[in-house]
Amino acid sequence: MTQQYPIITQPQPTMYFIGVTTGKSSINKVFPLWMEVLGRPEVVLRGIDHPMHDDPAAYRASVAQIKYDPLSLGALVTTHKIDLYNAARDMFDYFDPYSQITGELSSISKRDGRLEGHAKDPITAGLSLEAIIGDGYFGRTGGHVLCLGAGGSAVATLLHLINKPDAADRPARFVVVNRTQGRLDHMREMVGQVGTDIDVVYVCNDDPAENDRLMAALPDHSIVINATGMGKDSPGSPLTDAGLFPRHGIAWEFNYRGELDFMHQALRQVDSRDVRVEDGWIYFVHGWSQVVAHVLHVDLTPEVFAALERAAAGVR
């Protein structure tokens, strides 16, 4: 493909962060610490902000910068995982199987002159969820999952659960709610490709009061996930303040920064409903460490991950 976009020749090895409000992320403080840990202090991080659902040409320009500049090493993609994949898929030489199944990418890297796209979220969502619930949670408790939002992280979480070989690690029901139908159709198509015994329920809805009703119907010990971006990239919560979380359940806020309205709603019910509240910090650390290791071709051993986690904890 001929080069069609103006390319900046970076003066030093550069990894990019493609998002919406990248300047507010803790990774800007964490990244230099991680480069010291990995012995790569010369590598810098640069944010590229796109408005949500940006013009495809804008996504292609960002990919072209990485593809054609020798010192542009790769990128972590957040928020735009599906849109960027759709806009620039022909610019890549390779997509991993998860990327092909989910129709998204969260990691852009280079290897032997090839531009590669990977969907790391099924791995990072799985590592994060397992750190929260441990083995056999659904078999032990009978809890279901209500996932508010059907973007890349939601798709990844469902794919992780589908792929769990032990039935006790799979919920009987996974209810996913999204404000627009397209993302639900995308998720339904993915589930159809891989097949599952999980009863996946797709709900197109933008009324927080209806989300309250869906949450009220959950059995005890269920997990409610905010995967909407509300409370970080856009204001508010997908629930009303009157919504009741499942007793003995888990409220998992995928965000770790911003107003975090959903998380604060859950925190107010810790005592009255015995709700356990988790934010997105562990997802943040797993997500970034997986992609950094891929872009820099580092072997992410448990020892290396532990060192990165320790370095990040000082910033939190």
Side-chain angles (χ1 to χ4, degrees), residues 213-250:
R213 288 190 283 273
L214 291 167
M215 187 165 68
L218 296 170
D220 291 353
H221 302 282
S222 290
I223 301 172
V224 182
I225 298 171
N226 178 27
T228 64
M230 294 182 76
K232 187 189 88 167
D233 295 327
S234 60
S237 166
L239 302 170
T240 79
D241 287 342
L244 291 177
F245 284 82
R247 291 186 186 279
H248 320 299
I250 297 172

mmCIF file of all heavy atoms in Angstrom, residues 213-250:
data_model
loop_
_atom_site.group_PDB
_atom_site.id
_atom_site.type_symbol
_atom_site.label_atom_id
_atom_site.label_comp_id
_atom_site.label_asym_id
_atom_site.label_seq_id
_atom_site.Cartn_x
_atom_site.Cartn_y
_atom_site.Cartn_z
ATOM 1 N N ARG A 213 -34.054 -2.679 36.514
ATOM 2 C CA ARG A 213 -34.976 -3.825 36.555
ATOM 3 C C ARG A 213 -34.251 -5.120 36.159
ATOM 4 O O ARG A 213 -34.484 -6.180 36.761
ATOM 5 C CB ARG A 213 -36.173 -3.568 35.637
ATOM 6 C CG ARG A 213 -37.141 -2.517 36.184
ATOM 7 C CD ARG A 213 -38.435 -2.437 35.390
ATOM 8 N NE ARG A 213 -38.258 -1.715 34.145
ATOM 9 C CZ ARG A 213 -38.369 -0.387 34.017
ATOM 10 N NH1 ARG A 213 -38.630 0.368 35.074
ATOM 11 N NH2 ARG A 213 -38.222 0.196 32.850
ATOM 12 N N LEU A 214 -33.398 -5.033 35.167
ATOM 13 C CA LEU A 214 -32.613 -6.209 34.772
ATOM 14 C C LEU A 214 -31.719 -6.663 35.929
ATOM 15 O O LEU A 214 -31.556 -7.860 36.180
ATOM 16 C CB LEU A 214 -31.772 -5.894 33.540
ATOM 17 C CG LEU A 214 -32.537 -5.684 32.234
ATOM 18 C CD1 LEU A 214 -31.618 -5.082 31.176
ATOM 19 C CD2 LEU A 214 -33.117 -7.007 31.733
ATOM 20 N N MET A 215 -31.145 -5.708 36.634
ATOM 21 C CA MET A 215 -30.270 -6.030 37.765
ATOM 22 C C MET A 215 -31.072 -6.652 38.908
ATOM 23 O O MET A 215 -30.597 -7.591 39.568
ATOM 24 C CB MET A 215 -29.535 -4.769 38.223
ATOM 25 C CG MET A 215 -28.479 -5.019 39.270
ATOM 26 S SD MET A 215 -27.339 -3.628 39.506
ATOM 27 C CE MET A 215 -28.443 -2.400 40.229
ATOM 28 N N ALA A 216 -32.290 -6.150 39.128
ATOM 29 C CA ALA A 216 -33.135 -6.671 40.210
ATOM 30 C C ALA A 216 -33.516 -8.134 39.983
ATOM 31 O O ALA A 216 -33.814 -8.855 40.946
ATOM 32 C CB ALA A 216 -34.386 -5.819 40.349
ATOM 33 N N ALA A 217 -33.514 -8.572 38.725
ATOM 34 C CA ALA A 217 -33.901 -9.948 38.396
ATOM 35 C C ALA A 217 -32.755 -10.948 38.568
ATOM 36 O O ALA A 217 -32.959 -12.162 38.432
ATOM 37 C CB ALA A 217 -34.419 -10.005 36.959
ATOM 38 N N LEU A 218 -31.553 -10.473 38.865
ATOM 39 C CA LEU A 218 -30.400 -11.369 38.994
ATOM 40 C C LEU A 218 -30.466 -12.172 40.287
ATOM 41 O O LEU A 218 -30.931 -11.673 41.312
ATOM 42 C CB LEU A 218 -29.098 -10.558 38.993
ATOM 43 C CG LEU A 218 -28.740 -9.783 37.730
ATOM 44 C CD1 LEU A 218 -27.561 -8.851 38.012
ATOM 45 C CD2 LEU A 218 -28.397 -10.742 36.583
ATOM 46 N N PRO A 219 -29.955 -13.395 40.263
ATOM 47 C CA PRO A 219 -29.832 -14.131 41.530
ATOM 48 C C PRO A 219 -28.731 -13.540 42.406
ATOM 49 O O PRO A 219 -27.885 -12.771 41.929
ATOM 50 C CB PRO A 219 -29.461 -15.551 41.070
ATOM 51 C CG PRO A 219 -28.875 -15.408 39.720
ATOM 52 C CD PRO A 219 -29.516 -14.198 39.102
ATOM 53 N N ASP A 220 -28.752 -13.898 43.679
ATOM 54 C CA ASP A 220 -27.680 -13.495 44.588
ATOM 55 C C ASP A 220 -26.326 -13.925 44.011
ATOM 56 O O ASP A 220 -26.228 -14.903 43.257
ATOM 57 C CB ASP A 220 -27.864 -14.147 45.959
ATOM 58 C CG ASP A 220 -29.078 -13.602 46.699
ATOM 59 O OD1 ASP A 220 -29.704 -12.634 46.215
ATOM 60 O OD2 ASP A 220 -29.412 -14.167 47.759
ATOM 61 N N HIS A 221 -25.282 -13.219 44.403
ATOM 62 C CA HIS A 221 -23.892 -13.533 44.028
ATOM 63 C C HIS A 221 -23.581 -13.200 42.566
ATOM 64 O O HIS A 221 -22.495 -13.537 42.078
ATOM 65 C CB HIS A 221 -23.546 -15.014 44.291
ATOM 66 C CG HIS A 221 -23.734 -15.444 45.709
ATOM 67 N ND1 HIS A 221 -22.825 -15.148 46.703
ATOM 68 C CD2 HIS A 221 -24.739 -16.137 46.307
ATOM 69 C CE1 HIS A 221 -23.250 -15.645 47.852
ATOM 70 N NE2 HIS A 221 -24.413 -16.237 47.641
ATOM 71 N N SER A 222 -24.519 -12.565 41.862
ATOM 72 C CA SER A 222 -24.251 -12.229 40.465
ATOM 73 C C SER A 222 -23.226 -11.090 40.358
ATOM 74 O O SER A 222 -22.986 -10.339 41.308
ATOM 75 C CB SER A 222 -25.544 -11.835 39.753
ATOM 76 O OG SER A 222 -26.378 -12.964 39.582
ATOM 77 N N ILE A 223 -22.644 -10.988 39.170
ATOM 78 C CA ILE A 223 -21.637 -9.963 38.883
ATOM 79 C C ILE A 223 -22.255 -8.935 37.944
ATOM 80 O O ILE A 223 -22.812 -9.292 36.902
ATOM 81 C CB ILE A 223 -20.387 -10.592 38.227
ATOM 82 C CG1 ILE A 223 -19.778 -11.661 39.140
ATOM 83 C CG2 ILE A 223 -19.355 -9.520 37.888
ATOM 84 C CD1 ILE A 223 -18.653 -12.455 38.488
ATOM 85 N N VAL A 224 -22.167 -7.666 38.313
ATOM 86 C CA VAL A 224 -22.653 -6.574 37.469
ATOM 87 C C VAL A 224 -21.438 -5.769 37.008
ATOM 88 O O VAL A 224 -20.644 -5.301 37.832
ATOM 89 C CB VAL A 224 -23.642 -5.666 38.224
ATOM 90 C CG1 VAL A 224 -24.172 -4.568 37.295
ATOM 91 C CG2 VAL A 224 -24.792 -6.485 38.799
ATOM 92 N N ILE A 225 -21.291 -5.626 35.700
ATOM 93 C CA ILE A 225 -20.113 -4.991 35.116
ATOM 94 C C ILE A 225 -20.516 -3.694 34.433
ATOM 95 O O ILE A 225 -21.485 -3.658 33.664
ATOM 96 C CB ILE A 225 -19.461 -5.927 34.066
ATOM 97 C CG1 ILE A 225 -18.986 -7.234 34.712
ATOM 98 C CG2 ILE A 225 -18.302 -5.227 33.367
ATOM 99 C CD1 ILE A 225 -18.544 -8.286 33.709
ATOM 100 N N ASN A 226 -19.766 -2.627 34.706
ATOM 101 C CA ASN A 226 -19.914 -1.407 33.913
ATOM 102 C C ASN A 226 -18.831 -1.383 32.851
ATOM 103 O O ASN A 226 -17.680 -1.036 33.120
ATOM 104 C CB ASN A 226 -19.816 -0.150 34.777
ATOM 105 C CG ASN A 226 -19.926 1.112 33.933
ATOM 106 O OD1 ASN A 226 -20.545 1.106 32.867
ATOM 107 N ND2 ASN A 226 -19.327 2.189 34.392
ATOM 108 N N ALA A 227 -19.209 -1.761 31.630
ATOM 109 C CA ALA A 227 -18.285 -1.740 30.492
ATOM 110 C C ALA A 227 -18.703 -0.680 29.486
ATOM 111 O O ALA A 227 -18.409 -0.788 28.303
ATOM 112 C CB ALA A 227 -18.259 -3.122 29.830
ATOM 113 N N THR A 228 -19.410 0.347 29.965
ATOM 114 C CA THR A 228 -19.950 1.360 29.056
ATOM 115 C C THR A 228 -18.996 2.501 28.774
ATOM 116 O O THR A 228 -19.160 3.210 27.787
ATOM 117 C CB THR A 228 -21.236 1.983 29.634
ATOM 118 O OG1 THR A 228 -20.898 2.688 30.846
ATOM 119 C CG2 THR A 228 -22.287 0.929 29.920
ATOM 120 N N GLY A 229 -18.024 2.736 29.641
ATOM 121 C CA GLY A 229 -17.219 3.950 29.537
ATOM 122 C C GLY A 229 -17.857 5.124 30.262
ATOM 123 O O GLY A 229 -17.218 6.168 30.450
ATOM 124 N N MET A 230 -19.129 4.967 30.689
ATOM 125 C CA MET A 230 -19.775 6.042 31.460
ATOM 126 C C MET A 230 -19.084 6.173 32.817
ATOM 127 O O MET A 230 -18.796 5.179 33.469
ATOM 128 C CB MET A 230 -21.259 5.752 31.650
ATOM 129 C CG MET A 230 -22.062 5.768 30.371
ATOM 130 S SD MET A 230 -23.825 5.476 30.658
ATOM 131 C CE MET A 230 -24.321 7.085 31.306
ATOM 132 N N GLY A 231 -18.823 7.401 33.204
ATOM 133 C CA GLY A 231 -18.055 7.632 34.422
ATOM 134 C C GLY A 231 -16.595 7.869 34.133
ATOM 135 O O GLY A 231 -15.831 8.260 35.016
ATOM 136 N N LYS A 232 -16.190 7.666 32.845
ATOM 137 C CA LYS A 232 -14.821 7.990 32.433
ATOM 138 C C LYS A 232 -14.871 8.820 31.156
ATOM 139 O O LYS A 232 -14.609 10.006 31.158
ATOM 140 C CB LYS A 232 -13.980 6.727 32.223
ATOM 141 C CG LYS A 232 -12.496 7.045 31.962
ATOM 142 C CD LYS A 232 -11.704 5.820 31.545
ATOM 143 C CE LYS A 232 -11.767 5.618 30.050
ATOM 144 N NZ LYS A 232 -10.773 4.635 29.557
ATOM 145 N N ASP A 233 -15.224 8.166 30.037
ATOM 146 C CA ASP A 233 -15.240 8.859 28.747
ATOM 147 C C ASP A 233 -16.499 9.688 28.545
ATOM 148 O O ASP A 233 -16.527 10.582 27.711
ATOM 149 C CB ASP A 233 -15.115 7.845 27.599
ATOM 150 C CG ASP A 233 -13.766 7.140 27.602
ATOM 151 O OD1 ASP A 233 -12.777 7.775 28.000
ATOM 152 O OD2 ASP A 233 -13.708 5.961 27.209
ATOM 153 N N SER A 234 -17.555 9.376 29.251
ATOM 154 C CA SER A 234 -18.791 10.161 29.196
ATOM 155 C C SER A 234 -19.378 10.194 30.599
ATOM 156 O O SER A 234 -19.097 9.320 31.419
ATOM 157 C CB SER A 234 -19.788 9.542 28.201
ATOM 158 O OG SER A 234 -20.126 8.218 28.576
ATOM 159 N N PRO A 235 -20.188 11.217 30.909
ATOM 160 C CA PRO A 235 -20.668 11.375 32.291
ATOM 161 C C PRO A 235 -21.766 10.383 32.655
ATOM 162 O O PRO A 235 -22.432 9.810 31.784
ATOM 163 C CB PRO A 235 -21.210 12.813 32.306
ATOM 164 C CG PRO A 235 -21.571 13.098 30.884
ATOM 165 C CD PRO A 235 -20.595 12.336 30.045
ATOM 166 N N GLY A 236 -21.949 10.188 33.970
ATOM 167 C CA GLY A 236 -23.088 9.428 34.458
ATOM 168 C C GLY A 236 -22.811 7.962 34.706
ATOM 169 O O GLY A 236 -21.671 7.517 34.771
ATOM 170 N N SER A 237 -23.913 7.216 34.846
ATOM 171 C CA SER A 237 -23.878 5.778 35.103
ATOM 172 C C SER A 237 -24.981 5.123 34.297
ATOM 173 O O SER A 237 -26.014 5.747 34.034
ATOM 174 C CB SER A 237 -24.106 5.506 36.600
ATOM 175 O OG SER A 237 -24.406 4.133 36.832
ATOM 176 N N PRO A 238 -24.808 3.857 33.917
ATOM 177 C CA PRO A 238 -25.896 3.154 33.224
ATOM 178 C C PRO A 238 -27.036 2.746 34.155
ATOM 179 O O PRO A 238 -28.034 2.194 33.699
ATOM 180 C CB PRO A 238 -25.200 1.930 32.637
ATOM 181 C CG PRO A 238 -24.015 1.694 33.519
ATOM 182 C CD PRO A 238 -23.572 3.050 33.980
ATOM 183 N N LEU A 239 -26.894 2.996 35.463
ATOM 184 C CA LEU A 239 -27.936 2.685 36.448
ATOM 185 C C LEU A 239 -28.440 3.976 37.093
ATOM 186 O O LEU A 239 -27.760 5.003 37.053
ATOM 187 C CB LEU A 239 -27.374 1.775 37.543
ATOM 188 C CG LEU A 239 -26.776 0.442 37.113
ATOM 189 C CD1 LEU A 239 -26.049 -0.199 38.282
ATOM 190 C CD2 LEU A 239 -27.845 -0.486 36.556
ATOM 191 N N THR A 240 -29.608 3.904 37.720
ATOM 192 C CA THR A 240 -30.056 5.023 38.551
ATOM 193 C C THR A 240 -29.586 4.794 39.979
ATOM 194 O O THR A 240 -29.183 3.678 40.356
ATOM 195 C CB THR A 240 -31.589 5.169 38.548
ATOM 196 O OG1 THR A 240 -32.160 4.194 39.439
ATOM 197 C CG2 THR A 240 -32.185 5.001 37.156
ATOM 198 N N ASP A 241 -29.679 5.812 40.798
ATOM 199 C CA ASP A 241 -29.290 5.680 42.206
ATOM 200 C C ASP A 241 -30.229 4.754 42.979
ATOM 201 O O ASP A 241 -29.904 4.313 44.079
ATOM 202 C CB ASP A 241 -29.259 7.052 42.876
ATOM 203 C CG ASP A 241 -28.063 7.887 42.438
ATOM 204 O OD1 ASP A 241 -27.103 7.306 41.898
ATOM 205 O OD2 ASP A 241 -28.092 9.115 42.636
ATOM 206 N N ALA A 242 -31.398 4.457 42.384
ATOM 207 C CA ALA A 242 -32.355 3.578 43.058
ATOM 208 C C ALA A 242 -32.089 2.098 42.783
ATOM 209 O O ALA A 242 -32.680 1.227 43.431
ATOM 210 C CB ALA A 242 -33.780 3.922 42.621
ATOM 211 N N GLY A 243 -31.213 1.806 41.831
ATOM 212 C CA GLY A 243 -30.952 0.421 41.460
ATOM 213 C C GLY A 243 -30.334 -0.364 42.600
ATOM 214 O O GLY A 243 -29.452 0.125 43.306
ATOM 215 N N LEU A 244 -30.805 -1.619 42.793
ATOM 216 C CA LEU A 244 -30.292 -2.480 43.859
ATOM 217 C C LEU A 244 -29.379 -3.549 43.277
ATOM 218 O O LEU A 244 -29.794 -4.334 42.420
ATOM 219 C CB LEU A 244 -31.449 -3.134 44.611
ATOM 220 C CG LEU A 244 -32.314 -2.207 45.460
ATOM 221 C CD1 LEU A 244 -33.465 -2.993 46.083
ATOM 222 C CD2 LEU A 244 -31.484 -1.513 46.547
ATOM 223 N N PHE A 245 -28.147 -3.588 43.742
ATOM 224 C CA PHE A 245 -27.201 -4.610 43.308
ATOM 225 C C PHE A 245 -27.583 -5.952 43.929
ATOM 226 O O PHE A 245 -28.200 -6.005 45.002
ATOM 227 C CB PHE A 245 -25.778 -4.218 43.712
ATOM 228 C CG PHE A 245 -25.180 -3.152 42.845
ATOM 229 C CD1 PHE A 245 -25.470 -1.808 43.078
ATOM 230 C CD2 PHE A 245 -24.352 -3.474 41.788
ATOM 231 C CE1 PHE A 245 -24.944 -0.819 42.263
ATOM 232 C CE2 PHE A 245 -23.817 -2.485 40.977
ATOM 233 C CZ PHE A 245 -24.113 -1.155 41.210
ATOM 234 N N PRO A 246 -27.232 -7.061 43.281
ATOM 235 C CA PRO A 246 -27.557 -8.379 43.848
ATOM 236 C C PRO A 246 -26.876 -8.577 45.200
ATOM 237 O O PRO A 246 -25.720 -8.183 45.387
ATOM 238 C CB PRO A 246 -27.022 -9.364 42.802
ATOM 239 C CG PRO A 246 -26.098 -8.595 41.941
ATOM 240 C CD PRO A 246 -26.542 -7.174 41.974
ATOM 241 N N ARG A 247 -27.606 -9.199 46.117
ATOM 242 C CA ARG A 247 -27.037 -9.470 47.437
ATOM 243 C C ARG A 247 -25.815 -10.398 47.293
ATOM 244 O O ARG A 247 -25.828 -11.338 46.506
ATOM 245 C CB ARG A 247 -28.069 -10.141 48.340
ATOM 246 C CG ARG A 247 -29.212 -9.209 48.741
ATOM 247 C CD ARG A 247 -30.126 -9.875 49.767
ATOM 248 N NE ARG A 247 -31.292 -9.051 50.038
ATOM 249 C CZ ARG A 247 -31.291 -8.004 50.870
ATOM 250 N NH1 ARG A 247 -30.179 -7.689 51.517
ATOM 251 N NH2 ARG A 247 -32.390 -7.290 51.063
ATOM 252 N N HIS A 248 -24.782 -10.093 48.057
ATOM 253 C CA HIS A 248 -23.539 -10.883 48.060
ATOM 254 C C HIS A 248 -22.891 -10.903 46.672
ATOM 255 O O HIS A 248 -22.090 -11.794 46.368
ATOM 256 C CB HIS A 248 -23.790 -12.323 48.538
ATOM 257 C CG HIS A 248 -24.742 -12.437 49.672
ATOM 258 N ND1 HIS A 248 -24.515 -11.851 50.900
ATOM 259 C CD2 HIS A 248 -25.967 -13.035 49.764
ATOM 260 C CE1 HIS A 248 -25.543 -12.098 51.703
ATOM 261 N NE2 HIS A 248 -26.438 -12.798 51.042
ATOM 262 N N GLY A 249 -23.254 -9.938 45.835
ATOM 263 C CA GLY A 249 -22.741 -9.899 44.466
ATOM 264 C C GLY A 249 -21.461 -9.091 44.353
ATOM 265 O O GLY A 249 -20.884 -8.613 45.345
ATOM 266 N N ILE A 250 -21.026 -8.943 43.104
ATOM 267 C CA ILE A 250 -19.807 -8.196 42.801
ATOM 268 C C ILE A 250 -20.159 -7.109 41.797
ATOM 269 O O ILE A 250 -20.808 -7.375 40.780
ATOM 270 C CB ILE A 250 -18.714 -9.118 42.211
ATOM 271 C CG1 ILE A 250 -18.301 -10.181 43.240
ATOM 272 C CG2 ILE A 250 -17.497 -8.312 41.756
ATOM 273 C CD1 ILE A 250 -17.379 -11.252 42.689
#
